[in-house]
DNA sequence: CTTGACTGGTAATGTACGTTACCTTACCAG
DNA sequence: CTGGTAAGGTAACGTACATTACCAGTCAAG
């Protein structure tokens, strides 16, 4: 596409990111269809020509925004740091990262805005899923498979279990935040949600006592 | 899909439901902002006056549609039939109903269309949540509390656990269906997802063997 | 049959928006 | 300093849409 190595004008790259930031605010709050290019330009000044020169059209801007948002938000899960720790600790850390990502304004906004456009932009929906929730589930499935190979657990379908685990972090708490019915959880609430989910995932409700610690085993 | 063309007396009620059915198809597929009143009228014939006489404006039609869809879809959870059965059986039955509801075209469509409009229609978002996912979680929390009172389980926060359970049915499988990346699950897939989720919820991954049956206890 | 209330169809109105044509400015080489 | 090139800005164009008006049928009752 553009291979302009030298920056002639005042930082073409900062212009692009400024547009994306403004677009995020408007798209994620109003939705794709209800967002006007004028509303985006109002936030950063300048002219609509900037957007059309950089992204081609409204679709191009939206797809670039969703793709980059999903990519950067979920990259935090790719880093390791899980070696040599117990499954309980690994799941707790994984859950903390996952919840923080899911509750971040960026991913909340992507959720809100991509839903009704998924049928209109099938390739974008697939890209978002693969980069985001799909990658999270795949990554966790690897972790579970490693634990199984070490003999810690005895799971048949690691991927199905990983899906269930990921789903526990998109529960009604997450839905309320997405719908704007409550603010994102405080650190204390988040930690409580993570420990609760990990406890149930590992030991089930039969195996947890009132303090949240595993009963047997 | 209008039932009878013989009756020139369309009995306001059947006209109302015909409008709502057509509106569901268009709103749920295109999204609120991208849907035009003309597109709805095209499906059932007649004049736009019908819609404006019955629902006032576009907002009124959308809110009526979302409210009634959530109400009817989730009403299946309100019926009882859980008395005198083991917790495992109750959760399996509850999960089956829940998954069927979540995968129904009606609720999938509500999901798709309400997300970006939640900030614009806060009271509608609250209404949808309370009638839908909130009620499911409340109902399950009651079931869990009854089981606790019978001494079957030992849970501190039944509502948090219920939220986690409900979340397991809005996992990546559900997300893929909402995003149009795959069709709703077959009955066999649905049953497998339910048994898997209930197994983890009750016994955790430490307590399930390869056949999906609980290991200890 | 006449009246009245309602429905269907067409079109008008006012507005908002995506996109583009055209002008204006800033930067660069020579 | 000058001419050329590309980006920035202004305004227009064409369209689509929510909403309303207007007129023509159509059924119910009197």
């Amino acid at each position: 596409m553009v291979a302009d190595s030298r920056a002639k004008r005042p930082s073409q790259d900062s212009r692009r990111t400024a547009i994306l930031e403004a677009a995020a605010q408007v798209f994620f709050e109003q939705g794709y269809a209800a967002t006007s290019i004028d509303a985006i330009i109002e936030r950063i000044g300048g002219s609509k020509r900037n957007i059309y020169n950089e992204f081609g059209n409204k679709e191009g801007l939206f797809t670039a925004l969703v793709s980059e948002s999903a990519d950067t938000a979920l990259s935090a899960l790719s880093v390791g740091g899980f070696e040599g720790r117990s499954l309980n600790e690994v799941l707790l850390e994984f859950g903390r990262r996952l919840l923080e990502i899911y509750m971040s304004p960026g991913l909340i906004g992507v959720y809100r805005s991509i839903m009704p456009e998924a049928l209109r932009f099938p390739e974008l929906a697939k890209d978002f899923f693969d980069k985001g929730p799909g990658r999270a589930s795949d990554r966790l499935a690897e972790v579970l498979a490693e634990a199984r190979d070490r003999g810690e657990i005895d799971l048949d379908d690691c991927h199905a279990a990983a899906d269930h685990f990921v789903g526990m972090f998109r529960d009604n708490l997450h839905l309320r935040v997405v719908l704007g019915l409550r603010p994102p959880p405080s650190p204390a609430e988040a930690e409580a949600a993570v420990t609760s989910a990990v406890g149930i995932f590992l030991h089930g409700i039969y195996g947890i006592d009132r303090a949240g610690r595993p009963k047997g085993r």
Side-chain angles (χ1 to χ4, degrees), chain A residues 168-179:
Chain A
M168 292 174 92
F169 292 89
R170 283 204 312 269
D171 61 356
N172 282 347
L173 171 64
H174 179 252
L175 182 59
R176 277 198 294 265
V177 175
V178 172
L179 292 178

